[in-house]
Amino acid sequence: MIKSVHNLKAVLIFVLTSFLSIGTVSAESNTKSDPSSLYSRLGGLAPISVVVSDFIDVVVPDTFLNKNPAVQATRAHVPAVYLKYRVTSMVCSVTGGPCEYQGKGMKEAHANLNITESEWDRMVVLFKEVLTKHKVPATESQELLELIGSTKADIVVASSK
């Protein structure tokens, strides 16, 4: 009896994983993105989500960034997993992928954080390190940095101390 229950569990796990894999493939194949888009050149949603996840994992605990009391306070009530979801969705969208970002605009999301120029610079350094770690090609890295740079005026609101 125990052996058959174990086998049944194994079969169920196999069926569920197969079903989920088929669903993922179908969802991705139904979503056509321009093969020349940055989204496609980055490899699609999976690699983007891995890079974003690693970036958030580096940014959230960064001691320099957390010296800003507003940033530190926000870290206490905005879970990293939520940031990963929102940033992944945004990157997917702005790079030409199928995602629709439905979060706040950059100005609204960062208005109360009093981000300084030096904090911005630190974030850029961390982002470049994550891109290097994941061997994102130079052209695509530069395009991502330009996309991020286009948001700077909405994010940096305080002069450096």
Side-chain angles (χ1 to χ4, degrees):
M1 178 72 174
I2 293 174
K3 191 173 187 177
S4 64
V5 170
H6 178 70
N7 287 342
L8 180 59
K9 285 182 183 178
V11 169
L12 283 173
I13 290 170
F14 174 75
V15 170
L16 285 173
T17 25
S18 297
F19 176 74
L20 291 173
S21 297
I22 290 168
T24 302
V25 171
S26 296
E28 289 177 5
S29 64
N30 288 337
T31 307
K32 306 272 189 234
S33 63
D34 177 1
S36 65
S37 70
L38 180 54
Y39 173 84
S40 292
R41 289 181 283 126
L42 290 169
L45 189 56
I48 288 171
S49 65
V50 169
V51 170
V52 168
S53 179
D54 282 1
F55 175 63
I56 299 299
D57 286 345
V58 168
V59 167
V60 167
D62 187 76
T63 54
F64 180 80
L65 297 175
N66 285 309
K67 286 179 186 175
N68 176 330
V71 169
Q72 187 176 29
T74 300
R75 302 276 192 250
H77 73 273
V78 177
V81 70
Y82 176 79
L83 289 173
K84 290 176 183 186
Y85 168 75
R86 286 294 186 196
V87 174
T88 297
S89 174
M90 182 176 28
V91 172
C92 172
S93 177
V94 301
T95 58
C99 305
E100 289 184 42
Y101 176 69
Q102 297 180 357
K104 295 177 181 178
M106 292 299 96
K107 190 170 199 140
E108 181 183 359
H110 296 86
N112 298 324
L113 297 179
N114 301 315
I115 303 291
T116 65
E117 185 81 29
S118 55
E119 291 164 345
W120 172 269
D121 292 343
R122 174 69 179 154
M123 180 277 307
V124 171
V125 166
L126 295 172
F127 187 60
K128 287 179 179 179
E129 288 173 359
V130 170
L131 294 176
T132 300
K133 172 186 170 190
H134 288 282
K135 298 180 173 119
V136 176
T139 301
E140 286 73 18
S141 290
Q142 186 58 42
E143 287 180 56
L144 287 168
L145 289 166
E146 288 169 9
L147 283 169
I148 288 172
S150 72
T151 68
K152 183 177 179 180
D154 289 338
I155 296 173
V156 176
V157 295
S159 58
S160 292
K161 299 170 188 171

